[in-house]
Amino acid sequence: QPYLKDNDRILDCGTGEMTTITSVANKVFPDSVKLYCFDISLSRILWGSQFSNKFMNKKLSSNVKPFIATLDNIPVLDNSIDIVCTIHALEPNYGKESKILQEIFRVACRKIILFEPSYEDNSQKGKDRMESHGYIRNLPEQIKNNNGRLEKKIKIENAINPLNPTYAYIITPPNNAKRVESVFACPVTKTPLVENSDCLYSDKSLLVYPKISNIPILRKKYH
């Protein structure tokens, strides 16, 4: 909440069924924010859209923009999002931390807040569990290696599973630049996309991406 401003753009990466972000939005988001959220799964996003429409503050839910994408190729323009967040979305991506962080750092213009487990602060039993599930490790080091600045690391005291301790990693991105006006980008060329009623397209790349049930499908293989 201390990092939010009126009219912010927020991007929830790997949002799943949008249950957690809906609860967070209702408690702390100003009504004026625009919430972008994506997942790799269309079925999860379709369910999540229904969930947020039903349970999210009506003013907020009218500003939700869900789409389909992957963590390692976010179809959003450089410096177009004020706050990027993840809620256990990086968790199962051991070995891909650097690539995903590079994408998150690229699109964020002011702040990044990652709610993710900490391997380093876990018990040996917890570490063994994280290793068996292929969970991320050494996140502070990965943030530093990709030129992000870790401002704070805050333990979430009411985490459900003691073998998976969650922390909020508060990060300033390398660019910390002024926000650009447009948002969506072609996942192949990273050029701006123009939104139409049934698709999004790039004037520069001449690639077109479909919408299904009004959900943009912004993955490389679906142009």
Side-chain angles (χ1 to χ4, degrees), residues 174-192:
N175 294 330
N176 199 22
K178 183 178 179 181
R179 189 179 83 181
V180 301
E181 287 305 311
S182 299
V183 176
F184 286 124
C186 170
V188 176
T189 64
K190 294 299 189 291
T191 53

Side-chain angles (χ1 to χ4, degrees), residues 91-94 97 117 129-131 133-137 164:
E91 183 178 85
N93 286 282
Y94 175 65
E97 297 96 336
R129 177 183 177 276
M130 291 181 74
E131 290 173 8
H133 289 318
Y135 283 3
I136 57 171
R137 302 171 210 170
N164 202 38

Side-chain angles (χ1 to χ4, degrees), residues 12-65:
D12 182 28
C13 304
T15 194
E17 293 88 359
M18 297 173 63
T19 52
T20 306
I21 197 64
T22 293
S23 179
V24 172
N26 285 337
K27 290 183 179 296
V28 302
F29 286 4
D31 290 345
S32 59
V33 305
K34 292 179 175 59
L35 175 59
Y36 294 81
C37 45
F38 72 84
D39 198 88
I40 195 172
S41 167
L42 176 60
S43 61
R44 296 180 82 180
I45 284 290
L46 288 171
W47 195 95
S49 296
Q50 294 177 15
F51 184 89
S52 65
N53 284 334
K54 184 175 181 180
F55 294 108
M56 190 181 288
N57 173 310
K58 293 305 177 186
K59 289 183 179 179
L60 286 170
S61 66
S62 64
N63 287 329
V64 174
K65 187 68 177 180

Side-chain angles (χ1 to χ4, degrees), residues 26 61 69 103 124 154 222:
N26 285 337
S61 66
E103 279 293 275
Q124 187 57 53
I154 304 167
Y222 294 130

Side-chain angles (χ1 to χ4, degrees), residues 68-110:
I68 303 303
T70 59
L71 285 165
D72 60 358
N73 186 12
I74 302 174
V76 168
L77 294 169
D78 297 5
N79 308 315
S80 60
I81 304 294
D82 297 292
I83 297 178
V84 179
C85 69
T86 66
I87 306 172
H88 289 267
L90 268 64
E91 183 178 85
N93 286 282
Y94 175 65
K96 301 178 183 178
E97 297 96 336
S98 182
K99 174 60 177 172
I100 293 170
L101 286 173
Q102 287 172 22
E103 279 293 275
I104 289 174
F105 290 177
R106 177 183 64 80
V107 305
C109 67
R110 194 173 78 236

